[in-house]
Structures are given as structure tokens and as C-alpha cells.
Amino acid sequence: MVSALQHVSDFANLFKAFIGSNYLSMPFAFSQSGLALGFALLMIIAVLTDHCCYLIVTCKQLMVESLVNDEDSGSEASLDGNGTIGQNSSSNNNNSSPYYYNDGFCPDALGPGASPSATNTNNSNSNNNNNNNSSNNGSDGAADDASHQRRQTDALHRIVTLGDIAKFTYGRPGLWLVNASLFITQFGFCINYFIFIGNTLHQVLSLGRNDTDTVAFQAYDYHTQAEQQNSDLDGFTETPTWSVPPLWLLVCAPLPLFLGFALIRNIRSMGSVSVVANISICAGVVAVLAVMLHQFSVSDTVQQATGATLPVYIGMVAVSYEGIGTVIPIESSMEDNRHNFRSFLRGSLVVVTAILGGVGTIGYLRYGQDTRQIVVQNLPTQSLFVVILDATLILGVIFTFPLQIYPVIQMTEKLFLARCEFISVFKY
């Protein structure tokens, strides 16, 4: 039974996978496509994202069913040179299960206490009972087989990665291609978080500076009646200054916190972190809209469609839906709640698309062709809402990091620290 808190955690993780600071670039993206064309393409990209995420999860489910059925039938899935799935008879092979160490069975795959000898003994006892006993023993054996199959299915659903799906489908080239692409995108997002936080902190701390190195604040005047009687203090005004930390230090500042977040090994446990991040991001969206709608007027330079810079728009919007790399880990963590994955996915994408479209439309209508790449650069820097926006962005990005880095950590662990592999399944 899935609790209400688990429902919230699962939805929060999916929503957080697709929303970040990306909405700040949407007004500029619309300026590269035109208002009408940009909005239409946004809907198309959102539908394609939903469809692709669903296809990925469907491929995973088909892979799991294939592996479990192959193991139960005493066959061994293999991939030939063309990457097609074949069946090799292995009824006499004790290692017909898809879960192995490099030189043996992986007991953790089917749950605590499982072992090859125990499995074989149970199979032998079951066969003897079927041959020597009545249909009651046959029923018990069928129940044991069904329970064994459920444990296999649950185990596979928890540990299969996007790279495993690619390897099962296209062979080893598919594994390396998908893992390399996933590593570049997810790790690139996380590197961008360091830079974004560092630049934002540097900008906030630099407000009111008279030069590029120090920030000067007029503290207070000591010219009181009593001090004016003291000739030593006559005309003295204290103006303390403090230096803004160097940019590289601000970029590295969140590293200890990010290292701690990287130790979270259960995505469902990140639900509370994702909730905080989502609240921060939504607060930032409200702040941006509040500033842009204040004394709102439509720019004269708004265009409905333009094709010259359309590829820029497509690239920026495609990157805005950045959560596709975390879909499989999130779906794998939704134990007993996977039947709600499609509805949670669609609900998340509807809200994300509304935010991207709303901020992009309003920002472009107001600033037109003068829209900057990040709409914050169009906002008054001394506005209280901008300060609130910077704070919410920093907080939201910090709490986005553990979810986005998870596929990279999972991939690295499987490459260097994996205890078991699908050796018989991915055999060439």
C-alpha cells in the first residue's frame, strides 16, 4: 500500500526532474522563433517528451518480462552480432538465471538468502515432489514459481538502468553510446549548477559596489554632540569596506553540500528534497511574473514567426525538458506505485509546459527583441523581487543537484564497484 507521502514524493521527483532555472531563458527562446510559432513548437516538444519518456519505460518493462520469461523457460538470452535477441538452450546449465557474479550467482538479485545451490535444490525438490506426490504438491510448486518470478521482476525493476536497456537492445555499442550521452548531459547539468550558483552569489554580493573588487557601505556618522567636542574625532566618518570572495571560491562553495547529497542512494528518499526545490522554483516563477507584469505593456518589436534563428529556439526548449535522463531511476524507485507513473509524468509535463509557456510569452511580449538570454538581466537589479528570485534560484538549484547527479553516480558505481552483472543475459 502506497502512502500519501510516497505519492507526493514520487510526483515531486518527476516534477523536479523537468523544472529548474530553465524557465528564465524562455522569453529569449521565444524571441528566436516568434510568439505564435514558438508556442506551437513548445506544445509539440512537450508531447514528444511525454511520448519518448513513456517509450523508454515501456522498453524497460518489455526487457524485464523477456529476462524473467527466459530464465523461467531455462533459456539464456543472448545478442548476436546484429544486436538481435536469440535463445540458447541451457536447461542443463545451473547458471541459467540472469543474475551472476563474474564467476557465479548474485544472491542479492532475488532477495536475501538466495543462492545457486538453494535455487537448484528447490528446483530438484520441486521436480521430485511433482513426480512422486499429488496435485497439492504441484500447486505448492506453482505458487513457489510465481513467488520466485515476482521476486525476479521486482529485483530487475529496481536495478535496470538506461544503459542496460540499450545493451539489451543494441548490444555493447548501444551501452557505451547511451552511457556516454547520459554522462555528458547529466554531469554537464551538474557542472552548470556550480557555475550558476557561483555567478548568482557573486552578482548578489556585488550589488552596490563602486568597483570590481570591494563593496563599500556607508556605516554611520560619529558626529554627535559629544564627539564634536573631541578635536581628534572632528570630521571623522567611518566607511568600512569588505571584499567580495573571488568567483572561483563562490563556484566551489556548494561542493561539500553536493558531496553529501551524492550519498543519497534512494531516489524516493529525495522526495522531501525535491519538494523544497519545487517550492523554491515556483516562488521564483511568481517573483519573475510579478516584476514583468508590473506596469506591463506590449513591445512593438514582437514577431509572430521567424525562421532564421529557429534552431536556437529548438535547442533551448529541448534542453529545458532536462529530466528524460532521470526517468528510469525515478520509475524504478516507484515501488508499488509504478501504475501511476504515466499520470504523474503527464501531470508534471503539463505544469512544466504551462510555466515555460507562461514566462516565455509574458517576457517576450514585454521586452520583444530586446529580451536578454536570461530574462533576469532585463529586470531592475535593485528590485526586492529580483533579490528574492536570486535566493529562490540558488535554493532550487542546490536541491536539484542530488536528483540530476544520481544517474552519473549509478553509472559510475556499476562500472567500477558493481557486485554483480547480467553476464548470462548480455553474453556475446
mmCIF file of all heavy atoms in Angstrom, residues 46-67:
data_model
loop_
_atom_site.group_PDB
_atom_site.id
_atom_site.type_symbol
_atom_site.label_atom_id
_atom_site.label_comp_id
_atom_site.label_asym_id
_atom_site.label_seq_id
_atom_site.Cartn_x
_atom_site.Cartn_y
_atom_site.Cartn_z
ATOM 1 N N ALA A 46 6.670 19.256 -25.988
ATOM 2 C CA ALA A 46 6.147 18.679 -24.742
ATOM 3 C C ALA A 46 5.508 17.320 -24.995
ATOM 4 O O ALA A 46 5.719 16.362 -24.232
ATOM 5 C CB ALA A 46 5.138 19.635 -24.111
ATOM 6 N N VAL A 47 4.722 17.208 -26.076
ATOM 7 C CA VAL A 47 4.086 15.926 -26.415
ATOM 8 C C VAL A 47 5.143 14.884 -26.767
ATOM 9 O O VAL A 47 5.047 13.715 -26.340
ATOM 10 C CB VAL A 47 3.093 16.119 -27.575
ATOM 11 C CG1 VAL A 47 2.581 14.772 -28.078
ATOM 12 C CG2 VAL A 47 1.920 16.990 -27.134
ATOM 13 N N LEU A 48 6.146 15.273 -27.537
ATOM 14 C CA LEU A 48 7.221 14.343 -27.887
ATOM 15 C C LEU A 48 7.988 13.884 -26.649
ATOM 16 O O LEU A 48 8.378 12.717 -26.543
ATOM 17 C CB LEU A 48 8.179 14.993 -28.884
ATOM 18 C CG LEU A 48 7.640 15.209 -30.300
ATOM 19 C CD1 LEU A 48 8.666 15.950 -31.153
ATOM 20 C CD2 LEU A 48 7.278 13.875 -30.957
ATOM 21 N N THR A 49 8.213 14.793 -25.704
ATOM 22 C CA THR A 49 8.910 14.426 -24.468
ATOM 23 C C THR A 49 8.113 13.398 -23.686
ATOM 24 O O THR A 49 8.655 12.394 -23.203
ATOM 25 C CB THR A 49 9.144 15.672 -23.603
ATOM 26 O OG1 THR A 49 9.928 16.613 -24.330
ATOM 27 C CG2 THR A 49 9.863 15.300 -22.312
ATOM 28 N N ASP A 50 6.803 13.621 -23.563
ATOM 29 C CA ASP A 50 5.945 12.664 -22.871
ATOM 30 C C ASP A 50 5.976 11.308 -23.565
ATOM 31 O O ASP A 50 6.107 10.263 -22.915
ATOM 32 C CB ASP A 50 4.517 13.208 -22.818
ATOM 33 C CG ASP A 50 3.530 12.193 -22.273
ATOM 34 O OD1 ASP A 50 3.512 11.976 -21.049
ATOM 35 O OD2 ASP A 50 2.779 11.597 -23.077
ATOM 36 N N HIS A 51 5.893 11.318 -24.893
ATOM 37 C CA HIS A 51 5.871 10.065 -25.641
ATOM 38 C C HIS A 51 7.200 9.319 -25.512
ATOM 39 O O HIS A 51 7.219 8.096 -25.306
ATOM 40 C CB HIS A 51 5.575 10.360 -27.108
ATOM 41 C CG HIS A 51 5.475 9.131 -27.966
ATOM 42 N ND1 HIS A 51 4.503 8.166 -27.788
ATOM 43 C CD2 HIS A 51 6.246 8.698 -29.011
ATOM 44 C CE1 HIS A 51 4.669 7.206 -28.675
ATOM 45 N NE2 HIS A 51 5.723 7.500 -29.421
ATOM 46 N N CYS A 52 8.310 10.037 -25.605
ATOM 47 C CA CYS A 52 9.626 9.393 -25.504
ATOM 48 C C CYS A 52 9.865 8.815 -24.114
ATOM 49 O O CYS A 52 10.417 7.712 -23.981
ATOM 50 C CB CYS A 52 10.718 10.392 -25.863
ATOM 51 S SG CYS A 52 10.755 10.863 -27.615
ATOM 52 N N CYS A 53 9.472 9.548 -23.089
ATOM 53 C CA CYS A 53 9.618 9.019 -21.722
ATOM 54 C C CYS A 53 8.802 7.754 -21.539
ATOM 55 O O CYS A 53 9.255 6.778 -20.913
ATOM 56 C CB CYS A 53 9.186 10.078 -20.709
ATOM 57 S SG CYS A 53 10.283 11.510 -20.592
ATOM 58 N N TYR A 54 7.594 7.752 -22.088
ATOM 59 C CA TYR A 54 6.749 6.565 -21.992
ATOM 60 C C TYR A 54 7.358 5.387 -22.752
ATOM 61 O O TYR A 54 7.317 4.239 -22.280
ATOM 62 C CB TYR A 54 5.352 6.886 -22.520
ATOM 63 C CG TYR A 54 4.411 5.709 -22.515
ATOM 64 C CD1 TYR A 54 3.915 5.193 -21.321
ATOM 65 C CD2 TYR A 54 4.025 5.101 -23.714
ATOM 66 C CE1 TYR A 54 3.054 4.109 -21.315
ATOM 67 C CE2 TYR A 54 3.166 4.021 -23.710
ATOM 68 C CZ TYR A 54 2.683 3.524 -22.516
ATOM 69 O OH TYR A 54 1.832 2.456 -22.506
ATOM 70 N N LEU A 55 7.934 5.658 -23.919
ATOM 71 C CA LEU A 55 8.562 4.587 -24.692
ATOM 72 C C LEU A 55 9.749 3.985 -23.951
ATOM 73 O O LEU A 55 9.959 2.765 -23.981
ATOM 74 C CB LEU A 55 9.013 5.121 -26.060
ATOM 75 C CG LEU A 55 7.932 5.389 -27.100
ATOM 76 C CD1 LEU A 55 8.554 5.892 -28.385
ATOM 77 C CD2 LEU A 55 7.103 4.138 -27.364
ATOM 78 N N ILE A 56 10.526 4.836 -23.286
ATOM 79 C CA ILE A 56 11.675 4.330 -22.535
ATOM 80 C C ILE A 56 11.219 3.375 -21.442
ATOM 81 O O ILE A 56 11.781 2.283 -21.261
ATOM 82 C CB ILE A 56 12.481 5.494 -21.942
ATOM 83 C CG1 ILE A 56 13.178 6.279 -23.051
ATOM 84 C CG2 ILE A 56 13.514 4.987 -20.934
ATOM 85 C CD1 ILE A 56 13.877 7.525 -22.553
ATOM 86 N N VAL A 57 10.197 3.772 -20.691
ATOM 87 C CA VAL A 57 9.688 2.923 -19.611
ATOM 88 C C VAL A 57 9.068 1.654 -20.182
ATOM 89 O O VAL A 57 9.217 0.565 -19.599
ATOM 90 C CB VAL A 57 8.674 3.703 -18.755
ATOM 91 C CG1 VAL A 57 8.017 2.793 -17.723
ATOM 92 C CG2 VAL A 57 9.360 4.867 -18.058
ATOM 93 N N THR A 58 8.386 1.747 -21.314
ATOM 94 C CA THR A 58 7.816 0.562 -21.947
ATOM 95 C C THR A 58 8.909 -0.414 -22.374
ATOM 96 O O THR A 58 8.774 -1.634 -22.201
ATOM 97 C CB THR A 58 6.971 0.969 -23.162
ATOM 98 O OG1 THR A 58 5.931 1.861 -22.753
ATOM 99 C CG2 THR A 58 6.354 -0.246 -23.820
ATOM 100 N N CYS A 59 10.002 0.106 -22.922
ATOM 101 C CA CYS A 59 11.140 -0.752 -23.291
ATOM 102 C C CYS A 59 11.708 -1.465 -22.068
ATOM 103 O O CYS A 59 12.059 -2.651 -22.136
ATOM 104 C CB CYS A 59 12.227 0.086 -23.958
ATOM 105 S SG CYS A 59 11.813 0.678 -25.605
ATOM 106 N N LYS A 60 11.782 -0.756 -20.963
ATOM 107 C CA LYS A 60 12.271 -1.375 -19.735
ATOM 108 C C LYS A 60 11.357 -2.513 -19.293
ATOM 109 O O LYS A 60 11.824 -3.605 -18.920
ATOM 110 C CB LYS A 60 12.372 -0.331 -18.630
ATOM 111 C CG LYS A 60 12.737 -0.926 -17.277
ATOM 112 C CD LYS A 60 12.494 0.037 -16.143
ATOM 113 C CE LYS A 60 12.636 -0.669 -14.802
ATOM 114 N NZ LYS A 60 12.327 0.210 -13.664
ATOM 115 N N GLN A 61 10.056 -2.282 -19.338
ATOM 116 C CA GLN A 61 9.114 -3.320 -18.923
ATOM 117 C C GLN A 61 9.195 -4.547 -19.827
ATOM 118 O O GLN A 61 9.152 -5.685 -19.347
ATOM 119 C CB GLN A 61 7.698 -2.739 -18.921
ATOM 120 C CG GLN A 61 7.474 -1.670 -17.860
ATOM 121 C CD GLN A 61 6.163 -0.945 -18.018
ATOM 122 O OE1 GLN A 61 5.477 -1.062 -19.038
ATOM 123 N NE2 GLN A 61 5.779 -0.179 -17.002
ATOM 124 N N LEU A 62 9.323 -4.323 -21.130
ATOM 125 C CA LEU A 62 9.459 -5.452 -22.056
ATOM 126 C C LEU A 62 10.754 -6.202 -21.813
ATOM 127 O O LEU A 62 10.790 -7.438 -21.907
ATOM 128 C CB LEU A 62 9.407 -4.932 -23.500
ATOM 129 C CG LEU A 62 8.064 -4.371 -23.968
ATOM 130 C CD1 LEU A 62 8.193 -3.785 -25.369
ATOM 131 C CD2 LEU A 62 6.983 -5.438 -23.930
ATOM 132 N N MET A 63 11.818 -5.485 -21.494
ATOM 133 C CA MET A 63 13.097 -6.128 -21.203
ATOM 134 C C MET A 63 12.983 -7.006 -19.956
ATOM 135 O O MET A 63 13.451 -8.153 -19.941
ATOM 136 C CB MET A 63 14.171 -5.070 -21.002
ATOM 137 C CG MET A 63 15.493 -5.611 -20.496
ATOM 138 S SD MET A 63 16.663 -4.290 -20.126
ATOM 139 C CE MET A 63 17.938 -5.223 -19.265
ATOM 140 N N VAL A 64 12.366 -6.474 -18.911
ATOM 141 C CA VAL A 64 12.209 -7.240 -17.673
ATOM 142 C C VAL A 64 11.387 -8.500 -17.920
ATOM 143 O O VAL A 64 11.740 -9.601 -17.474
ATOM 144 C CB VAL A 64 11.567 -6.359 -16.586
ATOM 145 C CG1 VAL A 64 11.168 -7.202 -15.373
ATOM 146 C CG2 VAL A 64 12.520 -5.253 -16.163
ATOM 147 N N GLU A 65 10.281 -8.359 -18.653
ATOM 148 C CA GLU A 65 9.450 -9.525 -18.948
ATOM 149 C C GLU A 65 10.233 -10.562 -19.745
ATOM 150 O O GLU A 65 10.117 -11.771 -19.491
ATOM 151 C CB GLU A 65 8.213 -9.080 -19.733
ATOM 152 C CG GLU A 65 7.229 -8.248 -18.919
ATOM 153 C CD GLU A 65 6.072 -7.763 -19.765
ATOM 154 O OE1 GLU A 65 6.013 -8.133 -20.970
ATOM 155 O OE2 GLU A 65 5.221 -7.010 -19.246
ATOM 156 N N SER A 66 11.027 -10.111 -20.691
ATOM 157 C CA SER A 66 11.815 -11.036 -21.506
ATOM 158 C C SER A 66 12.837 -11.781 -20.664
ATOM 159 O O SER A 66 12.995 -13.002 -20.794
ATOM 160 C CB SER A 66 12.512 -10.259 -22.627
ATOM 161 O OG SER A 66 13.352 -11.106 -23.389
ATOM 162 N N LEU A 67 13.518 -11.064 -19.786
ATOM 163 C CA LEU A 67 14.536 -11.712 -18.952
ATOM 164 C C LEU A 67 13.920 -12.721 -18.008
ATOM 165 O O LEU A 67 14.439 -13.830 -17.828
ATOM 166 C CB LEU A 67 15.295 -10.652 -18.158
ATOM 167 C CG LEU A 67 16.140 -9.657 -18.946
ATOM 168 C CD1 LEU A 67 16.839 -8.697 -18.000
ATOM 169 C CD2 LEU A 67 17.159 -10.380 -19.806
#
